[in-house]
Amino acid sequence: MNPAATVSAGPGSGRPLTAAPGDLLRRLRARHHGIDPVTHVQRVPARPGQPAGWPGWAPEELRVALAGRGVVAPWRHQAEAAELAYAGKHVVVATGTASGKSLAYQLPALSTLLADPRATVLYLAPTKALAADQLRAVAGLELDGVRPATYDGDTPRTEREWIRRHSRFVLTNPDMLHHGILPGHAHWSGFLRRLAYVVVDECHTYRGVFGSHVAHVLRRLRRLSGSPGRTSSAALAGSRRAPTFILASATSGDPATAAGRLTGLPVTAVTEDTSPRGGVTFALWEPPLLPSSDASGTDADLRQVRRSALRETADLLADTVAEGVRTLAFVRSRRGAEVVAANARRALDEAVPGLGDRVAAYRAGYLREERRELERALLHGELLGLASTNALELGVDLVGLDAVLICGWPGTRASLWQQAGRAGRSGDEALAVLVARDDPLDTYLVHHPEALFGRPVEATVLDPANPYVLAPQLACAASEAPLTPADLELFGDGAKEAVDSLVEAGALRQRPTGWYWRHRERPEVDLRGEDGTPVCVVEAATGRLLGTVDGGSSHFLIHPGAVYLHQGVSYVVDSLDLADGCALVHAEEPDWSTHARDVTSLSVASVRSYVDAGPVGLFLGEVDVTSQVVSYQRRRIASGEVIDTRPLDLPARELRTVAVWFTVSPRSLALAGVEAADIPGALHAAEHAAIGLLPLMATCDRWDIGGLSTAVHPDTEAPTVFVYDGHPGGAGFAERAYATAAAWLRATRDAIAECGCESGCPSCVQSPKCGNGNNPLSKPDAVRVLDVVLTNLPAPSEDEPAAVASPAGDATHGAAPEGAVVAGSAATGAAAGGSAPTGDPGRDVTSGSGPTVPRQVGQ
């Protein structure tokens, strides 16, 4: 922080920023009056920069423009990446937050545009906010002839033709490239023919199914803009040369391999960060325990529960804003961001009327004008605090922020450091605080700081060979131009098989010159796996569009009767029309919240590989998951009391995905002291904890995966725990769990055993997603189950168990429910989109029969 800086902390008042983040942290800790919520403080030291000279090919005009923006010379890693790109080599620069990755691509791209009046550049960002920020940066250089412009869903149609014809630096996102530019490549032929560089910013965000889709969108772009050695593709666009790819990434494991998989090209990595960095004080913060009586209201059986991470983050946000500290609070959900902002505003207004106006929420689903105004207000200091989803995690330049609050583990160490790096971007000292949720993984991490600090960040996981991605993308490519044998090489492994399946399905027609798309309409493919087009949220009385919700979340967030929050204003949903993509709402401030519930069933489709460990079996394979939102609960906001459960009539959804599961023989459980009647609760508790701890091993979070446990599953005929990817075709998470099963389940067992609660709590075996009301659960029996599994599983060799068989199966590689408890052949589980409900799950769904599965061996 800059001690000389002054920020207005309220109407008519100003106060200096805190001299050091440690001082601010001490004051925040002191407000808990004797209970220290901080479990660990990590000091990340400051670092000096290593400048380099300007490349000889950088024109004077560009150097003068950059100097006018405060860039007097590049850092060494910027110059190295720029030299590689200018020489025509594909490059990924993977360095820390605020390390100036933008200059690494701006130097070669803008130099080329100034030297060649016909050259063009395409910039891709995963979010509109980042593209808008980069537009401001490039436009601010005021270079003649560059004519930068954003081309996305917010671009007025009256401007789109001008951009296609005249802009030489187009900023867009993969979705618009997929839906708008590539299908209309004939209108973009001039731009594509002269394409010199493709910039892929924040490429580490392209992981899982989304990343696999984007990998093929980039291959489609290469096909239409020309590629070395591909004369048929070059002919499509008439390109003089193939574009050079420049990728920017947060620090990640093996960025060259990930970038190569994303682009299908050999990529050189630049990873040494030579930029200066201010020091960061990083605190791990566990909300305090609060006493609460049992349902009978007596004090005989007091249960300890933790204060909500949302409430704790809201209070911290209010405290830092009251100190005059510019603060960004990252919250995992849209609803959570609204709740944090509303509570912080309320607390500030109680202290200083009007001060709450300096805090706002920011999330996807807002209208373009709202997002731009919030970004402007934060940059200019009109807002002191912002509660945001990860929409602001990426490289938006938020100079002047002094503190970052992270409400709950963001899923990966890469995201953790990206979010923490939003503060101190001007080189000053900064404070970052990770506020733990009452969740097994969060609890584990704040008490095991070695799992966060001093460890490398995760590698980006994506699989372009996923047939659930490859076949639809090949259909899109064929609708743009007939596929050739050379194109199948471009799309990689499995392309020929996918094309054959499309021909058999009648989607493609094979002719001597290639494969042709047979339909008038182009394929409908959603890159983000959000199950359809966004649903508009409209105020019924006025017809005003409030925002949008993605199709995949609509069943949970805007079902009839749901409470919908928008910029602190509460609305209740009157109706949801999925066919028209519209939800009608009216303004209302109820004293209750809503929590959707769904029922889930699972059947095994095929087994890819398994480990026979006597009384324990470990499996990896494809499963069919059927889920349906069937009801929702209304709960008192103040107490969490369930008011009632109301039925819903929404269509079921089916998912073919990849799962890892383990089976345990009843006899081994009995010998371990687990009674037959306690098996459902033991498996249920182990499943919850395993899902909570899997993100420690895989690049995911618990909302990417689902689970189901059963005392006897019809396909395995044994007690079984399933954990599956929540995306069609899988996303690689189950494979990672299978490969690291011993380490994963050991961490799960330790997290349960080390928790100080008596019978299970949200910090170990209770789940925020469980539709069975976290019942039945047996914490001690879960430890016994995992002891049996770990005793019998073979010791891992380089984190990989040896598979004894690999039956044929689909080559596949996720937001999913968890906590379904199955008895016999009837899947009676339910899972919730909100906090865990209680009571009857609503309906039974019978598990379908599957193929022959290796049965439990030991008895």
Side-chain angles (χ1 to χ4, degrees):
M1 299 180 187
N2 185 351
T6 301
V7 177
S8 173
S13 68
R15 60 185 66 174
L17 288 176
T18 310
D23 294 337
L24 175 61
L25 180 61
R26 277 191 290 274
R27 289 199 292 276
L28 295 175
R29 296 166 79 169
R31 294 176 190 181
H32 277 272
H33 305 296
I35 301 175
D36 189 357
V38 174
T39 62
H40 180 79
V41 177
Q42 186 81 12
R43 170 69 183 166
V44 181
R47 178 188 63 208
Q50 301 177 36
W54 290 107
W57 42 261
E60 180 69 17
E61 178 185 356
L62 177 58
R63 283 184 279 179
V64 169
L66 289 169
R69 306 286 289 184
V71 182
V72 296
W75 305 116
R76 189 160 53 81
H77 69 276
Q78 295 170 326
E80 181 184 351
E83 289 281 10
L84 288 166
Y86 196 77
K89 296 181 180 179
H90 310 293
V91 61
V92 55
V93 54
T95 52
T97 305
S99 60
K101 292 185 284 290
S102 297
L103 187 63
Y105 74 75
Q106 288 175 358
L107 265 178
L110 295 176
S111 295
T112 299
L113 293 183
L114 292 173
D116 181 355
R118 292 178 54 80
T120 60
V121 172
L122 182 67
Y123 169 93
L124 299 174
T127 66
K128 294 177 181 178
L130 179 53
D133 183 73
Q134 289 298 302
L135 175 65
R136 284 191 292 266
V138 175
L141 297 175
E142 298 181 346
L143 300 172
D144 290 338
V146 173
R147 299 187 292 273
T150 54
Y151 189 88
D152 56 31
D154 293 336
T155 305
R157 296 199 172 274
T158 54
E159 298 178 13
R160 295 188 179 190
E161 179 62 24
W162 184 93
I163 294 172
R164 283 194 294 265
R165 291 181 176 273
H166 302 293
S167 177
R168 299 177 59 220
F169 196 117
V170 173
L171 301 98
T172 186
N173 52 63
D175 307 85
M176 195 63 176
L177 181 61
H178 164 64
H179 288 293
I181 295 176
L182 295 180
H185 63 89
H187 300 291
W188 288 86
S189 60
F191 182 91
L192 294 173
R193 186 168 56 248
R194 304 190 301 270
L195 190 58
Y197 292 98
V198 176
V199 179
V200 185
D201 208 353
E202 305 291 359
C203 66
H204 63 282
T205 63
Y206 302 126
R207 62 181 179 90
V209 172
F210 177 45
S212 302
H213 274 295
V214 172
H216 289 298
V217 171
L218 295 180
R219 285 160 175 75
R220 287 161 52 201
L221 173 64
R222 288 175 52 203
R223 177 175 179 253
L224 296 176
S225 60
S227 185
R230 294 179 41 73
T231 55
S232 61
S233 294
L236 290 173
S239 178
R240 294 169 296 169
R241 72 163 199 169
T244 298
F245 280 76
I246 310 175
L247 301 96
S249 170
T251 303
S252 64
D254 199 2
T257 298
R261 191 176 293 124
L262 187 65
T263 61
L265 296 163
V267 179
T268 301
V270 175
T271 58
E272 184 183 0
D273 191 339
T274 59
S275 64
R277 182 183 64 192
V280 178
T281 298
F282 206 129
L284 304 183
W285 186 290
E286 186 174 41
L289 288 167
L290 298 174
S292 62
S293 61
D294 62 5
S296 66
T298 68
D299 293 333
D301 183 23
L302 290 179
R303 292 194 306 128
Q304 293 278 290
V305 296
R306 292 206 176 273
R307 197 162 187 262
S308 160
L310 291 176
R311 176 73 68 174
E312 195 80 352
T313 303
D315 285 353
L316 288 171
L317 180 60
D319 289 343
T320 55
V321 168
E323 293 267 357
V325 177
R326 292 190 187 182
T327 307
L328 182 60
F330 282 106
V331 189
R332 295 174 56 80
S333 69
R334 297 182 182 185
R335 179 180 184 140
E338 296 279 3
V339 169
V340 167
N343 287 340
R345 281 195 295 261
R346 189 177 302 115
L348 288 166
D349 282 334
E350 289 175 359
V352 181
L355 186 54
D357 294 339
R358 308 294 297 277
V359 174
Y362 185 102
R363 60 173 175 81
Y366 285 171
L367 302 180
R368 177 191 186 188
E369 295 76 14
E370 290 179 296
R371 294 196 305 271
R372 299 296 175 264
E373 176 57 26
L374 288 168
E375 294 161 17
R376 186 202 62 77
L378 186 64
L379 288 169
H380 289 80
E382 296 167 21
L383 286 175
L384 280 179
L386 201 63
S388 172
T389 60
N390 62 2
L392 285 181
E393 173 184 320
L394 305 179
V396 178
D397 193 7
L398 301 177
V399 175
L401 290 179
D402 301 291
V404 164
L405 308 172
I406 304 170
C407 182
W409 168 244
T412 65
R413 286 183 291 275
S415 288
L416 181 75
W417 289 109
Q418 276 288 102
Q419 293 180 4
R422 294 301 97 189
R425 286 174 67 86
S426 59
D428 295 330
E429 294 284 317
L431 174 67
V433 180
L434 172 63
V435 182
R437 293 170 301 165
D438 213 355
D439 171 272
L441 181 55
D442 285 40
T443 302
Y444 181 90
L445 291 173
V446 295
H447 290 284
H448 294 80
E450 69 279 2
L452 294 177
F453 302 109
R455 294 189 61 183
V457 298
E458 305 85 354
T460 302
V461 179
L462 67 148
D463 178 19
N466 182 342
Y468 288 85
V469 173
L470 180 55
Q473 287 292 333
L474 283 168
C476 291
S479 72
E480 292 157 2
L483 293 169
T484 67
D487 291 326
L488 301 191
E489 296 177 17
L490 174 67
F491 284 94
D493 295 341
K496 181 60 169 64
E497 293 79 2
V499 164
D500 289 343
S501 68
L502 290 169
V503 171
E504 185 177 351
L508 298 183
R509 174 177 294 146
Q510 185 173 5
R511 293 178 177 172
T513 53
W515 292 269
Y516 289 73
W517 179 245
R518 297 189 60 178
H519 305 290
R520 181 181 298 274
E521 302 82 12
R522 64 182 306 271
E524 289 293 333
V525 177
D526 183 358
L527 299 186
R528 298 177 188 261
E530 292 174 343
D531 296 332
T533 57
V535 178
C536 297
V537 181
V538 177
E539 189 173 27
T542 63
R544 180 169 64 103
L545 176 64
L546 297 177
T548 60
V549 173
D550 66 81
S553 301
S554 61
H555 290 210
F556 289 94
L557 299 181
I558 51 173
H559 57 76
V563 176
Y564 174 79
L565 296 175
H566 183 86
Q567 277 294 359
V569 179
S570 178
Y571 299 85
V572 174
V573 179
D574 298 317
S575 63
L576 171 61
D577 190 327
L578 292 171
D580 290 341
C582 180
L584 297 179
V585 303
H586 69 272
E588 184 180 341
E589 293 284 345
D591 64 350
W592 38 264
S593 60
T594 53
H595 305 263
R597 309 172 66 203
D598 70 355
V599 295
T600 302
S601 65
L602 179 150
S603 62
V604 177
S606 66
V607 175
R608 278 200 215 163
S609 183
Y610 69 93
V611 175
D612 178 359
V616 172
L618 177 69
F619 300 83
L620 177 73
E622 286 73 37
V623 296
D624 290 316
V625 181
T626 302
S627 63
Q628 182 178 25
V629 174
V630 296
S631 63
Y632 70 97
Q633 286 185 334
R634 298 191 304 159
R635 301 184 199 163
R636 299 282 182 201
I637 293 176
S639 64
E641 172 196 359
V642 176
I643 301 172
D644 57 20
T645 300
R646 300 189 172 189
L648 289 171
D649 183 18
L650 292 170
R653 290 174 168 175
E654 296 183 356
L655 174 71
R656 168 65 66 88
T657 187
V658 180
V660 58
W661 65 95
F662 64 81
T663 60
V664 189
S665 74
R667 182 171 181 271
S668 67
L669 292 178
L671 291 174
V674 181
E675 300 292 336
D678 296 327
I679 290 177
L683 298 177
H684 194 197
E687 174 221 328
H688 281 181
I691 288 174
L693 269 293
L694 181 55
L696 200 61
M697 307 295 166
T699 309
C700 68
D701 56 57
R702 77 182 305 150
W703 301 96
D704 285 321
I705 49 185
L708 181 145
S709 55
T710 166
V712 182
H713 191 275
D715 294 336
T716 65
E717 298 180 357
T720 311
V721 171
F722 293 89
V723 176
Y724 59 86
D725 293 356
H727 293 287
F733 309 139
E735 283 95 333
R736 181 63 178 161
Y738 181 76
T740 61
W744 165 43
L745 296 177
R746 170 63 62 188
T748 300
R749 187 260 181 215
D750 291 346
I752 301 173
E754 292 171 4
C755 185
C757 70
E758 211 170 288
S759 58
C761 69
S763 295
C764 57
V765 299
Q766 292 182 1
S767 167
K769 299 168 59 182
C770 181
N772 284 343
N774 285 293
N775 182 50
L777 290 176
S778 176
K779 174 184 174 178
D781 286 325
V783 174
R784 295 184 183 103
V785 167
L786 291 169
D787 281 339
V788 172
V789 174
L790 291 166
T791 299
N792 288 278
L793 276 183
S797 173
E798 297 182 359
D799 288 334
E800 295 243 356
V804 300
S806 296
D810 292 338
T812 59
H813 256 222
E818 73 187 56
V821 182
V822 185
S825 62
T828 59
S835 301
T838 56
D840 181 74
R843 66 181 278 188
D844 293 348
V845 182
T846 302
S847 292
S849 59
T852 300
V853 177
R855 304 300 182 188
Q856 184 61 50
V857 180
Q859 296 299 320

